[in-house]
Amino acid sequence: MKDLAATPSVDMLIVGAGFAGLYMLYKARSLGLNALVIEGAPSVGGTWYHNRYPGARVDIQSMEYSFSFDEALQQEWHWSERYAPQPELLRYANHVADRFALRDGIRLSTRMAGAHFDEAAQRWTVRAEGGQRWSALFLVMASGPLSSPNLPDFAGLKDFAGPVHHTADWPHEPVDFSGQRVAVVGTGSSAVQAIPIIARQARELTVFQRTAAYAAPAHNAPLDPEFEARIKADYAGFRARNRRMHGGFGSLLPPNPVSALAASAEEREAAFEQRWKIGGFAILGAFNDLLLNEQSNALVAEFVRGKIRSTVKDPRTAQLLSPTHTIGCKRLCVDSGYYDTFNRPNVQLVDISRAPIERFTARGVRTGGREFEFDALVLATGFDAMTGTMLRLDLRGRSGLTIQQKWHAGPLNYLGLTIAGFPNLFNIAGPGSTSAFTNVIVAIEQHVDWIADCIGHLHAKGLSTIEATEPAEAAWAEHVNAAARRTVFLSCNSWYLGANIPGKPRMFMPLAGGFPQYAERCAQVARNGYEGFVLA
Ligand code: NAP
């Protein structure tokens, strides 16, 4: 038996030094807690450390995708582009770590292996892969909803002689595709950003597409100094207005409060066109029911297919690139020249929707009875989203209950934040919360503030543990399901549903009910003395 007395003790152990972990550490310290962050990577930055593939940038505008908790921070930081590129986002994470003197509370290159709840001590014993252990009163999972890359079990992948790079685990040394024949598997948000850049560098690019993607133009550009000054003149007001928006962003362009079905064909076309020119997610707010009603959705989907047909010169390629599923059902991609890239003579598109990849070979891949040869392979195959990272851990709650047992049919929790049987464990921006449908930094700030208030409440009452009840959890699962049923999100095979991972239970994981409603519900639970929880 290990000597528990020798195990260092902290008030709060935080897993992950991305935006969630950094803000949680800052906030914990402001409560006077002794908190420690462990981070598997050798750097802070989380998603923006790992996802450094060519073209990686945020799909929410930079002035919105940043912390709001400190007025001086938001005033002094300057974004160079409308949509910040990955290196700048990583610099921002590092700046936050330095500016708030957080580094001495962060252990880098320290990956969590597991944590067991010790019922006698009412504390978590947390273990890192390197064998280090800590005893913690509170355990906060700030490990991110999209942090476990999905590496499909492709036959023969090991036989491929050239380099294989995953977009979510990109090398930290420069990757030069000049003069090479490159293959990309996948056409989600990561691929849509990477493909135009790889195509400009490589000799040949072959894209293997299972499902065509809807992409709206980013119209990325240097940040307009007048716009920046206007926002900074009332940054707090801008943030507050954004928090009242469905996704925690976009208050400058609210959704048109009219059904697409109530508009004439000309009005619809004009509204779609206007929003397409603005770019990004604006198009999905052209009417108020595009993500709620399949008929309305079909109208905007056809508008985007029209854009694809008018951009891509080869009609067969244009048709292959034209998605047939409901738009927005998989997260809309935000692109810079994606469809136009397929007009280049060095780019070819291979449809693998009917004939999947059979196997990789030393020189390439076999699919549909054909063999394709290339020098380097890029897997843009996404993530085991929302649950993948937690389910890889040896995480045990009360009575040795494992997270794998608890979540065997899908992620159960209360408010997305807490899990019955796992006292004092909080999960930031995970399943059951609006994370994936929200400007995630807004979601992170709301979660961290809620956790801090909750711990403050426990302290004020002389209590030390909080645990969700099973009835509250069951009711929350129904709430998350009901919110999804009111949308078009159940109509395709997305990572929201776990459908991208063979064998993963199909359960709609993020909460589609709107950020303001969700935040109010969390606040109401707290105001009502943490109803649905047992406090002890
Ligand atoms: P993704 O959206 O899940 O896309 C993965 C792609 O790989 C899909 O085209 C998928 O096809 C394909 N794929 C997966 N397994 C395959 C297999 N066995 N055979 C063939 N194709 C396969 O992943 P992602 O592009 O990394 O994006 C994930 C999420 O991260 C996004 O939805 C977004 O939330 C976030 N993200 C955001 C940005 C941004 O713009 N800021 C950039 C990147 C990522 P199917 O569609 O048929 O499954």
Side-chain angles (χ1 to χ4, degrees), residues 48 51 53 57-60 146 150 152 154 167 185-191 193 208-211 330-331 334 352 357 380-383 436 493 495-496 500:
W48 298 112
N51 291 267
Y53 57 83
R57 66 177 67 251
V58 63
D59 58 3
I60 306 268
L146 293 161
N150 168 35
F154 289 126
T167 44
V185 178
T187 50
S189 299
S190 301
Q193 290 185 330
F208 293 90
Q209 171 187 279
R210 186 165 71 180
T211 308
K330 294 172 187 255
R331 186 179 172 103
V334 177
I352 53 168
I357 285 173
T381 45
F383 300 86
N493 288 326
W495 60 256
Y496 301 143
N500 62 328

Side-chain angles (χ1 to χ4, degrees), residues 439-469:
N439 173 353
V440 80
I441 300 193
V442 171
I444 285 168
E445 288 191 327
Q446 183 257 338
H447 269 185
V448 168
D449 291 348
W450 192 93
I451 294 165
D453 289 348
C454 171
I455 292 173
H457 176 84
L458 293 176
H459 282 182
K461 298 272 177 203
L463 303 169
S464 57
T465 57
I466 178 164
E467 182 178 355
T469 64

Side-chain angles (χ1 to χ4, degrees), residues 11-29:
D11 298 323
M12 180 185 281
L13 196 296
I14 302 162
V15 183
F19 288 135
L22 292 175
Y23 182 44
M24 189 72 252
L25 176 60
Y26 167 83
K27 196 81 186 182
R29 285 179 163 182

